[in-house]
Amino acid sequence: MMPVIESVKASVHGTKAAVNLYAILRNLEELCRLDPASIALIQGKRNTIRFKIRGGPAADLVIADGNVSMQEPAGASSILLYFRSPEHLNKMIEGKANPIPLRGLSRLGFLTTDFTKLTQRLEYYLRPDEGLLKDADYFAIHTRLLLNTAAYAVACIGNYDETGRRIAARIPDGIISISIEESGQQVFLHALKGRLQAMKSAPAAPSAYMVFDTVQSANDVLSENADVHELIVTERLKLKGMLPMIQHMNDILARVPQFV
């Protein structure tokens, strides 16, 4: 579980930085399993990029032979990118600022070429135009990343945002499963003593289930292009188990657009 930094709790910038780091950039893991062009950019490359925010969250992106994984900082990193504040990282994500490299100056070429192209590839899938969405393969990857982003962003907001923390405190301990029947994608949200953790595998059986029938249904909801109640009535979206858990989770999910 990524640690929650007490000093950035209830901070809008701090919550947004956590979402950018733990939800948005984490999508590089999935992208480098799904997109051949992204895999090719880092094939044969090995680097650990540490993102360190003063007074804020930190994480390592471990790149190894076409694979990416996000981990808690441990040991030495080959590249250390320092940010003066959560706002500094947020501006980098927006393309309005650069990080401060404190380690790995000899590897700046990788950052400014291959890694930059990789993040541009991620943006390509997360911020589509209408034409791209008509391509079935693109649409499938876009929706998969959207669902991952939503789950991890809910956890960040539930742990950092003042309103989100109040809602998270009302979620009974247990696991919520969010899945798409058509694609087989499944992510989980683990609630424990008011803390939330998103994950791609669960340590125990879920207490509540939110099941979309198709990729299109999931995309419609996550893109705010559908009436959720209509989907439930037509059984394109099924809710099972401890429904109050899902209701509280959805209350946090409604806050996600404020931070992405």
Side-chain angles (χ1 to χ4, degrees):
M1 178 185 293
M2 294 295 181
V4 175
I5 308 301
E6 296 295 327
S7 61
V8 298
K9 279 186 174 183
S11 158
V12 172
H13 294 297
T15 303
K16 186 176 179 65
V19 170
N20 278 327
L21 185 58
Y22 297 146
I24 301 297
L25 285 177
R26 184 185 292 275
N27 275 312
L28 291 173
E29 293 180 332
E30 196 83 2
L31 184 67
C32 290
R33 286 194 286 265
L34 301 171
D35 180 44
S38 297
I39 296 170
L41 285 170
I42 56 172
Q43 194 68 53
K45 308 290 175 61
R46 286 184 172 271
N47 277 300
T48 297
I49 305 173
R50 180 163 299 163
F51 294 81
K52 174 58 182 172
I53 305 169
R54 181 183 180 186
D60 284 356
L61 270 181
V62 180
I63 298 169
D65 296 327
N67 295 306
V68 175
S69 63
M70 178 167 281
Q71 304 174 9
E72 290 189 42
S77 62
S78 53
I79 299 170
L80 173 58
L81 300 181
Y82 180 75
F83 300 87
R84 292 185 298 271
S85 64
E87 297 97 314
H88 186 187
L89 180 127
N90 296 335
K91 287 181 179 179
M92 183 203 72
I93 295 294
E94 296 167 2
K96 299 177 181 178
N98 293 314
I100 301 170
L102 297 184
R103 184 184 304 129
L105 295 179
S106 63
R107 299 173 187 255
L108 288 181
F110 170 77
L111 284 176
T112 58
T113 55
D114 296 328
F115 187 72
T116 295
K117 290 177 183 177
L118 186 62
T119 58
Q120 289 171 345
R121 194 72 181 162
L122 178 60
E123 184 176 9
Y124 167 76
Y125 278 106
L126 288 178
R127 302 186 184 279
D129 59 37
E130 290 302 318
L132 289 171
L133 292 174
K134 294 177 182 178
D135 180 273
D137 291 337
Y138 177 95
F139 187 77
I141 294 176
H142 167 67
T143 305
R144 194 173 188 91
L145 299 182
L146 270 187
L147 182 54
N148 286 342
T149 299
Y152 283 92
V154 164
C156 290
I157 294 168
N159 292 334
Y160 284 89
D161 175 61
E162 183 175 0
T163 300
R165 295 201 328 268
R166 286 200 299 267
I167 299 170
R170 297 197 289 267
I171 301 178
D173 289 356
I175 297 171
I176 303 170
S177 166
I178 312 164
S179 62
I180 304 174
E181 286 183 322
E182 181 182 24
S183 67
Q185 182 182 4
Q186 188 173 25
V187 293
F188 304 90
L189 199 67
H190 187 194
L192 182 63
K193 298 179 180 178
R195 286 286 313 281
L196 301 180
Q197 181 183 11
M199 56 188 70
K200 295 175 184 175
S201 60
S207 304
Y209 297 82
M210 185 176 189
V211 185
F212 296 97
D213 62 344
T214 64
V215 173
Q216 182 68 61
S217 295
N219 190 283
D220 287 344
V221 170
L222 296 171
S223 301
E224 300 182 282
N225 292 324
D227 183 330
V228 173
H229 298 292
E230 181 181 343
L231 264 65
I232 293 173
V233 169
T234 57
E235 296 190 340
R236 294 170 59 196
L237 172 59
K238 299 175 184 177
L239 308 179
K240 298 183 290 185
M242 293 183 63
L243 299 187
M245 295 182 73
I246 296 175
Q247 180 58 58
H248 293 316
M249 179 194 71
N250 284 338
D251 289 342
I252 299 176
L253 183 62
R255 297 184 61 75
V256 169
Q258 299 180 40
F259 298 100
V260 298

